[in-house]
Amino acid sequence: MAGIVSITLQNNDEARPVIESILQDNPSANANYMPGAVKIDCPERLVVKAESVSERIGRDWDPQEIHLTIVSMGGSLDEDDDELVLSWGA
Amino acid sequence: MTPPRKKKMNLKQRYALMTRGLDWETSYQKMDDVFPYDTFEGIKITDWSKWEDPFRLTMDAYWKYQGEKERKLYAVLDSFAQNNGQLGISDARYVNAIKLFLTGVTPLEYQAHRHFAHLGRHIRGAGPRVAAQMQSLDELRHAQTQIHTISHYNKYFDGFAEFPHMHDRVWYLSVPKSFFDDACTAGPFEFFTAISFAFEYVLTNLLFVPFMSGAAYNGDLATVTFGFSAQSDEARHMTLGIEVIKFMLEQHPDNLPIVQKWVDKWFWRGHKMLGLVAMMMDYMLPKRIMSWKEAWEIYFTEAGGALFEDLSRYGLRVPKYADIATEEAEHISHQNWAIFYQYTQAAGFHTWLPTDEEMAWLSEKYPNTFDKYYRPRFEMWREMEAKGERFYNNALPQLCQTCQIPMGYTEPGDPTKIGFRSTEYKGDRYHFCSDGCKDIFENEPEKFAQAWLPVHQIFQGNCGGADLGDVLKWYHMENGTDNLDYSGSPDQQQWDAWQAARKKVAG
């Protein structure tokens, strides 16, 4: 239980490529589906890579677009142009 | 092939230029005169430039994303209204959860807007000042979009029309109101700890995530949409909360005991206030997503556990009485719903007894407590209803001086005994529901001795008159329409007529 970070996103068309990218880039991540939203938990660290999302949607994805679909989070966040990282101890 | 990603000025540079780059040190006035409020609480800040918003959101990007959120939201709201979305909800009982939300929560969004505007002017550091300005605009947006969305329900259902008036006067709404008044009358760092950290970071998931997911499950397209739109700002508010705590703890070791006391206080106050949400989740949603106890395990025990483990490196410990709050997660929803059932005549939404199916769900979700302590009471009330002797509690309850909730909660370790605590201050005796609430009073007696307690005010003759009819008028509550049981209400009659019409069309 210790050190789980988490991100909750809406379960809609816009968030789906982000959800898929997270699950691909974080092999220990676990998605919990609830009505309207998905809570993704991961031990210690979770990364959202702009490159992975961009590949899926066929255009440049800015990590700040996460603001359109994020619902909640757990952990300390760090964001730059290429990725958004949730972790503890940062 | 995807074209390579374009490189612009990077996010960190942009953020530095658009926040600190626009700030300046005053020269012809002293900084302490320009920012008079950020020192009196005793929090020591040695270097404001150490603050950084983890999202690094700048005002230009803020407008862009907020504009997009609004466009999407209003497209859905318009469509919901145009297509008579109210017909698609699971059951009209559900609407009572929205009544509680509009009267209890929406006015807090407006209060938050006002107070973050104050912080957006009065915090010395440019980073948190900009974050507070954005949050102030967010909170105003939340208040507006909630009122706009719910105005559609107001066309068809009772209990919505007088929400701001009710918020300022009605007994159970004094619970969230006094919570926020307490925060807004504190200094800026305590407000940040109360609202941004304890509420937004530690506890808000318990309010919004189950509420919005519940709305999604109960066919309330409009509430889901405003809820998730608001919640998308919430993640940013959470980062403000955690940053402010770390910032205070990193800046000076003397800050720790002050911050710890605030964390203890606001965790406990938040836990008590969220008892209203607990009741909504376990009793008011016709289709339920998770129990309050399950939500508490996910969002406090698990997520809060990881958070406080991380913060322990600064010496911060888990809030005092967290173990008691966790024990109460087995009881609080049942006890609250029982209070509202007994006082349905003075509530601005409808009540009902859980059906057999709903009681089976409660037994399954609360194997340690529901059948043993709460089912017998609901079954007895059901028998009384069947005999035409529906139980109303006509005595006004004693209220806790701190949380303002009627004293209906039980002792830790003994769910058959009501908890009472009291203390003396300047020759008067004050009463509390718990050790947590008593501690809060004893730390700030001069503040809490002034609390506006609805029951005391009724007895003092300040609430329209001496009997229920007078007080309801003063609340702007229509007797027989806004209050009492769902069964027999105008809401129910209308809903049943809609359902009958639908059946007729279906043949």
Side-chain angles (χ1 to χ4, degrees):
Chain A
M1 182 180 298
I4 286 192
V5 294
S6 111
I7 187 166
T8 306
L9 296 165
Q10 290 193 49
N11 188 6
N12 63 12
D13 210 42
E14 198 167 358
R16 225 156 278 137
V18 185
I19 296 164
E20 286 170 13
S21 301
I22 295 173
L23 294 175
Q24 181 199 286
D25 294 336
N26 301 274
S28 335
N30 181 28
N32 305 287
Y33 288 82
M34 56 182 114
V38 188
K39 181 175 188 283
I40 305 173
D41 296 331
C42 195
E44 308 297 339
R45 185 175 186 275
L46 181 147
V47 59
V48 186
K49 292 186 180 162
E51 199 180 354
S52 307
V53 184
S54 300
E55 252 169 44
R56 282 185 164 73
I57 61 178
R59 68 167 174 86
D60 193 12
W61 185 77
D62 185 330
Q64 292 202 322
E65 290 180 53
I66 199 94
H67 287 295
L68 298 172
T69 52
I70 194 166
V71 174
S72 183
M73 43 161 273
S76 289
L77 180 115
D78 193 43
E79 186 184 304
D80 65 21
D81 297 276
D82 300 319
E83 59 185 27
L84 187 150
V85 178
L86 280 164
S87 63
W88 289 114
Chain B
M1 276 305 288
T2 316
R5 302 186 61 239
K6 279 177 275 177
K7 288 283 173 209
K8 293 164 280 191
M9 186 192 292
N10 82 35
L11 189 59
K12 285 180 187 178
Q13 293 165 324
R14 224 163 49 230
Y15 175 76
L17 284 171
M18 295 286 283
T19 53
R20 235 151 288 146
L22 295 175
D23 193 34
W24 70 94
E25 282 270 330
T26 57
S27 54
Y28 58 88
Q29 291 286 345
K30 284 195 267 321
M31 284 292 271
D32 282 342
D33 293 337
V34 177
F35 299 102
Y37 301 123
D38 64 2
T39 48
F40 76 86
E41 295 168 284
I43 293 291
K44 295 176 182 162
I45 305 296
T46 53
D47 184 1
W48 279 103
S49 74
K50 289 278 190 292
W51 176 287
E52 195 155 10
D53 173 9
F55 275 121
R56 301 191 178 88
L57 192 65
T58 53
M59 266 296 169
D60 55 332
Y62 174 79
W63 290 122
K64 179 178 135 192
Y65 289 117
Q66 297 306 95
E68 195 164 335
K69 287 179 192 176
E70 290 283 275
R71 273 194 301 279
K72 285 184 175 161
L73 171 62
Y74 277 93
V76 175
L77 293 191
D78 199 34
S79 164
F80 182 80
Q82 190 178 21
N83 292 291
N84 286 302
Q86 78 283 358
L87 298 172
I89 56 173
S90 56
D91 184 67
R93 287 185 304 165
Y94 166 76
V95 176
N96 293 288
I98 305 301
K99 295 176 192 179
L100 190 55
F101 190 90
L102 183 71
T103 53
V105 179
T106 302
L108 303 187
E109 306 268 19
Y110 187 70
Q111 285 288 80
H113 152 64
R114 292 182 54 171
H115 207 81
F116 275 106
H118 172 78
L119 299 185
R121 158 64 184 85
H122 283 293
I123 290 288
R124 195 170 311 219
R129 206 159 72 230
V130 169
Q133 286 164 9
M134 288 177 189
Q135 183 157 355
S136 174
L137 295 168
D138 294 337
E139 303 290 1
L140 183 62
R141 179 174 97 86
H142 298 177
Q144 286 175 336
T145 54
Q146 286 163 20
I147 293 164
H148 197 123
T149 305
I150 296 173
S151 70
H152 183 74
Y153 284 111
N154 181 48
K155 293 177 191 163
Y156 301 97
F157 297 95
D158 299 316
F160 291 110
E162 295 285 346
F163 75 94
H165 183 91
M166 285 187 186
H167 184 76
D168 287 338
R169 297 189 177 199
V170 175
W171 57 282
Y172 56 91
L173 298 175
S174 81
V175 175
K177 181 183 166 67
S178 68
F179 175 94
F180 233 88
D181 285 352
D182 186 3
C184 291
T185 49
F189 288 107
E190 185 180 347
F191 181 86
F192 272 135
T193 308
I195 303 304
S196 301
F197 180 72
F199 196 71
E200 301 269 19
Y201 196 95
V202 183
L203 298 169
T204 194
N205 281 318
L206 286 159
L207 169 60
F208 276 96
V209 179
F211 202 102
M212 297 318 150
S213 213
Y217 206 30
N218 284 279
D220 183 2
L221 179 69
T223 299
V224 177
T225 312
F226 88 64
F228 281 137
S229 189
Q231 195 65 31
S232 67
D233 301 341
E234 225 60 49
R236 183 156 34 78
H237 303 172
M238 292 172 78
T239 61
L240 177 57
I242 195 164
E243 283 309 304
V244 83
I245 287 288
K246 285 187 187 171
F247 183 66
M248 288 190 284
L249 297 174
E250 279 168 4
Q251 285 286 310
H252 204 284
D254 289 356
N255 295 341
L256 175 63
I258 305 175
V259 172
Q260 182 72 59
K261 199 179 254 187
W262 288 339
V263 167
D264 292 349
K265 171 186 174 182
W266 288 99
F267 165 77
W268 188 255
R269 292 221 62 184
H271 153 64
K272 285 290 170 191
M273 180 171 76
L274 289 178
L276 288 168
V277 184
M279 163 185 104
M280 186 276 296
M281 281 175 68
D282 285 345
Y283 286 87
M284 298 177 79
L285 296 181
K287 288 173 74 181
R288 291 142 204 233
I289 37 156
M290 63 170 83
S291 67
W292 174 253
K293 189 180 159 221
E294 288 167 324
W296 186 265
E297 278 163 9
I298 295 170
Y299 291 113
F300 183 72
T301 309
E302 190 179 297
L307 169 69
F308 283 102
E309 193 179 291
D310 184 57
L311 292 174
S312 67
R313 66 200 150 104
Y314 300 108
L316 198 77
R317 47 160 182 74
V318 172
K320 199 176 177 188
Y321 303 125
D323 52 334
I324 299 204
T326 295
E327 184 190 323
E328 287 179 357
E330 292 255 15
H331 301 277
I332 199 164
S333 68
H334 319 299
Q335 296 182 355
N336 276 342
W337 190 242
I339 291 172
F340 279 96
Y341 179 83
Q342 293 172 64
Y343 289 103
T344 186
Q345 66 275 28
F349 57 87
H350 300 304
T351 52
W352 54 86
L353 288 174
T355 63
D356 285 338
E357 204 184 318
E358 287 163 349
M359 285 210 254
W361 183 86
L362 289 162
S363 302
E364 186 201 318
K365 296 293 181 185
Y366 292 93
N368 305 324
T369 55
F370 184 74
D371 285 347
K372 196 167 173 194
Y373 303 109
Y374 303 106
R375 178 190 281 274
R377 176 153 56 177
F378 290 127
E379 286 179 345
M380 181 190 75
W381 281 340
R382 186 197 281 177
E383 281 166 31
M384 289 172 74
E385 274 188 18
K387 282 190 274 181
E389 296 165 4
R390 202 266 189 216
F391 176 69
Y392 298 96
N393 194 331
N394 290 313
L396 298 187
Q398 185 175 38
L399 303 180
C400 172
Q401 184 77 22
T402 301
C403 71
Q404 309 208 356
I405 298 173
M407 306 263 270
Y409 295 145
T410 51
E411 282 291 342
D414 185 1
T416 61
K417 190 177 167 199
I418 301 286
F420 287 104
R421 300 289 182 277
S422 79
T423 195
E424 249 187 60
Y425 174 68
K426 290 191 175 169
D428 284 324
R429 182 156 291 280
Y430 294 88
H431 301 272
F432 309 96
C433 68
S434 56
D435 290 323
C437 283
K438 180 170 174 261
D439 285 3
I440 292 169
F441 179 94
E442 286 177 340
N443 283 326
E444 297 167 89
E446 62 289 348
K447 184 175 201 179
F448 286 94
Q450 301 175 55
W452 191 96
L453 294 176
V455 168
H456 292 201
Q457 295 298 321
I458 291 171
F459 281 132
Q460 286 172 31
N462 296 329
C463 302
D467 68 26
L468 178 70
D470 296 333
V471 175
L472 291 183
K473 265 192 208 125
W474 187 76
Y475 285 172
H476 290 190
M477 228 178 247
E478 284 291 326
N479 196 11
T481 300
D482 295 331
N483 60 351
L484 301 173
D485 280 329
Y486 174 69
S487 174
S489 67
D491 273 8
Q492 187 203 23
Q493 287 163 19
Q494 178 186 248
W495 179 256
D496 289 351
W498 287 347
Q499 299 307 307
R502 183 182 289 183
K503 257 192 201 138
K504 214 164 136 190
V505 171

